[in-house]
Coordinates of all heavy atoms in Angstrom, one line a residue:
N1 N 21.8 22.1 26.0 CA 22.7 21.0 25.7 C 22.2 19.7 25.0 O 23.0 19.0 24.7 CB 23.3 20.6 27.3 CG 22.2 20.2 28.1 OD1 21.0 20.2 27.8 ND2 22.6 19.7 29.3
G2 N 21.0 19.6 25.0 CA 20.4 18.5 24.3 C 20.6 17.2 25.0 O 21.2 17.1 26.3
F3 N 19.9 16.0 24.6 CA 19.8 14.8 25.2 C 21.2 14.0 24.8 O 21.6 14.0 23.6 CB 18.7 14.0 24.7 CG 17.4 14.5 25.3 CD1 16.5 15.0 24.5 CD2 16.9 14.1 26.7 CE1 15.3 15.5 25.1 CE2 15.8 14.5 27.2 CZ 15.0 15.3 26.3
P4 N 21.9 13.3 25.8 CA 23.0 12.6 25.5 C 22.5 11.1 25.1 O 22.6 10.1 25.7 CB 23.7 12.4 26.8 CG 22.6 12.6 27.9 CD 21.5 13.5 27.3
Y5 N 21.9 11.1 23.9 CA 21.3 9.9 23.4 C 22.3 8.8 23.0 O 22.0 7.6 22.9 CB 20.4 10.1 22.1 CG 21.1 10.8 21.0 CD1 21.9 10.0 20.0 CD2 21.1 12.1 20.9 CE1 22.4 10.6 18.9 CE2 21.7 12.7 19.7 CZ 22.5 12.0 18.9 OH 23.1 12.6 17.7
E6 N 23.7 9.2 22.9 CA 24.7 8.1 22.6 C 24.7 7.0 23.8 O 25.2 5.9 23.5 CB 25.9 8.7 22.4 CG 25.9 9.6 21.2 CD 25.6 11.1 21.5 OE1 25.1 11.3 22.7 OE2 25.7 12.0 20.7
R7 N 24.4 7.4 25.0 CA 24.5 6.6 26.1 C 23.6 5.4 26.0 O 23.6 4.5 27.0 CB 24.1 7.4 27.4 CG 25.2 8.5 27.6 CD 24.8 9.3 28.9 NE 24.9 8.5 30.1 CZ 26.1 8.3 30.8 NH1 27.1 8.9 30.4 NH2 26.0 7.6 31.8
A8 N 22.5 5.3 25.1 CA 21.5 4.4 25.2 C 21.8 3.2 24.2 O 21.0 2.3 24.1 CB 20.1 5.0 24.9
E9 N 23.0 3.2 23.6 CA 23.2 2.2 22.5 C 23.1 0.7 23.1 O 23.7 0.4 24.1 CB 24.6 2.4 21.9 CG 24.9 1.6 20.7 CD 26.1 2.0 19.8 OE1 26.5 3.0 20.1 OE2 26.6 1.1 19.2
G10 N 22.3 -0.1 22.5 CA 22.1 -1.4 23.0 C 21.2 -1.6 24.1 O 21.1 -2.7 24.7
K11 N 20.6 -0.5 24.6 CA 19.8 -0.6 25.9 C 18.2 -0.4 25.6 O 18.0 0.0 24.5 CB 20.3 0.5 26.9 CG 21.7 0.2 27.3 CD 22.1 1.3 28.3 CE 23.5 1.2 28.8 NZ 24.0 2.3 29.7
R12 N 17.5 -0.9 26.5 CA 15.9 -0.7 26.5 C 15.7 0.8 27.0 O 16.2 1.2 28.1 CB 15.2 -1.7 27.4 CG 15.5 -3.1 27.1 CD 14.9 -3.9 28.1 NE 15.5 -3.7 29.4 CZ 15.1 -4.2 30.5 NH1 13.9 -4.9 30.6 NH2 15.7 -3.9 31.7
V13 N 15.0 1.6 26.1 CA 14.9 3.0 26.4 C 13.4 3.4 26.5 O 12.6 2.9 25.7 CB 15.6 3.7 25.4 CG1 15.3 5.3 25.5 CG2 17.0 3.6 25.3
F14 N 13.1 4.4 27.4 CA 11.8 5.1 27.5 C 12.1 6.4 26.7 O 13.0 7.2 27.4 CB 11.2 5.3 28.8 CG 10.6 4.1 29.4 CD1 10.5 4.0 30.7 CD2 10.2 3.0 28.7 CE1 9.9 2.9 31.4 CE2 9.7 1.8 29.3 CZ 9.5 1.7 30.6
L15 N 11.4 6.9 25.8 CA 11.4 8.3 25.3 C 10.0 8.8 25.8 O 9.1 8.4 25.2 CB 11.6 8.4 23.8 CG 12.7 7.6 23.3 CD1 12.8 7.7 21.7 CD2 14.0 8.2 23.9
M16 N 10.0 9.6 26.7 CA 8.8 10.1 27.3 C 8.5 11.6 27.2 O 9.4 12.4 27.4 CB 8.8 9.8 28.8 CG 9.0 8.2 29.1 SD 9.2 7.9 30.8 CE 7.3 8.0 31.3
G17 N 7.3 12.0 26.6 CA 6.9 13.4 26.5 C 5.4 13.5 27.0 O 4.6 12.7 26.8
G18 N 5.2 14.7 27.5 CA 3.9 15.1 27.9 C 3.5 16.5 27.4 O 4.3 17.5 27.5
G19 N 2.3 16.6 26.9 CA 1.9 18.0 26.5 C 2.8 18.6 25.5 O 3.1 17.9 24.5
I20 N 3.2 19.9 25.7 CA 4.1 20.5 24.7 C 5.6 20.0 24.9 O 6.5 20.4 24.1 CB 4.0 22.1 24.7 CG1 4.3 22.6 23.4 CG2 4.8 22.5 25.8 CD1 3.4 22.3 22.3
G21 N 5.8 19.1 25.8 CA 7.0 18.4 25.9 C 7.1 17.2 24.9 O 8.1 16.5 24.9
V22 N 5.9 17.0 24.2 CA 6.0 15.8 23.3 C 6.9 16.1 22.1 O 7.7 15.2 21.6 CB 4.6 15.5 22.7 CG1 4.5 14.7 21.5 CG2 3.8 14.9 24.0
P23 N 6.8 17.3 21.3 CA 7.6 17.5 20.1 C 9.1 17.3 20.3 O 9.6 16.7 19.3 CB 7.4 19.1 19.8 CG 6.0 19.4 20.4 CD 5.9 18.5 21.7
P24 N 9.9 17.7 21.3 CA 11.3 17.4 21.3 C 11.7 15.9 21.3 O 12.8 15.6 20.9 CB 11.8 18.2 22.5 CG 10.6 18.7 23.1 CD 9.4 18.4 22.4
I25 N 10.8 15.0 21.6 CA 11.0 13.6 21.7 C 11.1 13.1 20.3 O 11.7 12.1 20.0 CB 9.8 12.8 22.5 CG1 9.9 13.5 23.9 CG2 10.1 11.4 22.4 CD1 11.2 13.2 24.7
L26 N 10.5 13.7 19.3 CA 10.5 13.2 17.9 C 11.9 13.1 17.3 O 12.2 12.0 16.9 CB 9.5 14.0 17.0 CG 9.4 13.5 15.6 CD1 9.0 12.0 15.4 CD2 8.4 14.4 14.7
E27 N 12.6 14.2 17.4 CA 13.9 14.1 16.8 C 14.9 13.1 17.5 O 15.6 12.4 17.0 CB 14.6 15.5 16.6 CG 16.0 15.5 15.9 CD 15.9 15.0 14.5 OE1 14.8 15.2 13.8 OE2 17.0 14.5 14.0
L28 N 14.6 13.1 18.9 CA 15.3 12.2 19.7 C 15.1 10.6 19.2 O 15.9 10.0 19.1 CB 15.0 12.2 21.0 CG 15.7 11.4 22.2 CD1 17.1 11.6 22.2 CD2 15.0 11.7 23.6
A29 N 13.7 10.4 19.0 CA 13.4 9.1 18.5 C 14.1 8.8 17.2 O 14.5 7.6 16.9 CB 11.8 9.0 18.4
K30 N 14.2 9.8 16.3 CA 14.6 9.5 14.9 C 16.2 9.2 15.0 O 16.7 8.4 14.2 CB 14.5 10.8 14.0 CG 12.9 10.9 13.6 CD 12.7 12.2 13.0 CE 13.5 12.3 11.6 NZ 13.3 13.6 10.9
Q31 N 16.9 9.9 16.0 CA 18.3 9.7 16.1 C 18.9 8.6 17.0 O 20.0 8.1 17.0 CB 18.9 11.1 16.4 CG 18.9 12.1 15.5 CD 19.7 13.2 15.6 OE1 20.9 13.1 16.0 NE2 19.5 14.5 15.1
M32 N 17.9 8.1 17.9 CA 18.3 7.2 19.0 C 18.6 5.8 18.2 O 17.7 5.2 17.5 CB 17.1 7.0 19.8 CG 17.3 6.0 20.9 SD 18.5 6.6 22.2 CE 17.5 7.8 22.9

């Protein structure tokens, strides 16, 4: 289902990744 990143508009956000959970955070950061 992916991340509902639209919910963060105008808000302070943590994008958190650890280990091999780091890569999916990159595209999220680009589109956020």
